[in-house]
Amino acid sequence: MITAPYRWLLMLGAGISLTLGFIGVVVPGMPTTVFVLIAAWLAARSSPSLAHWLDNHKVTGPIIHHWRNGRCMPRRAKYAAAIGMSISAVIMAFSSTPTWVMVGTDIVMLTVLIWLWRLPEPPPATGS
């Protein structure tokens, strides 16, 4: 049994993660999937209604379902991540970003992309 303050803290974390995930839908280089998965994990421990909403939402539902059922990532999400990170790298290259920040960020993004592309893809949906 969790205490009320701890439950509220988990719900706050879920809300912040979900907000960051939805921002990631439109901001290049900002991840969506990781924040949605964190929000789902926190909501499952603090708010059954929020967890149910996330599981059944048209954007977050498939992400959570694929992760829970085989740690899968659709190819479309992999491409979106690669494109977003590439755009971010180009923006940094043509901005006044310090070299050490740019190189460090590029290494992190490349590492994430390698990990991401090694994840399995979900099986194709079968029609009824």
Side-chain angles (χ1 to χ4, degrees), residues 16-74:
I16 291 169
S17 293
L18 186 59
T19 301
L20 292 171
F22 281 128
I23 290 171
V25 170
V26 295
V27 175
M30 178 86 168
T32 299
T33 302
V34 68
F35 288 119
V36 168
L37 295 175
I38 291 169
W41 185 86
L42 293 168
R45 283 146 185 81
S46 63
S47 174
S49 60
L50 178 58
H52 177 76
W53 182 80
L54 287 170
D55 288 346
N56 293 292
H57 190 273
K58 70 177 186 175
V59 173
T60 61
I63 294 169
I64 296 165
H65 174 77
H66 290 311
W67 190 255
R68 286 183 181 156
N69 296 291
R71 304 287 192 252
C72 300
M73 186 71 56

Side-chain angles (χ1 to χ4, degrees), residues 82-103:
I83 290 168
M85 289 184 204
S86 298
I87 290 169
S88 294
V90 169
I91 289 170
M92 282 191 301
F94 289 102
S95 69
S96 60
T97 304
T99 303
W100 67 271
V101 171
M102 185 174 53
V103 170

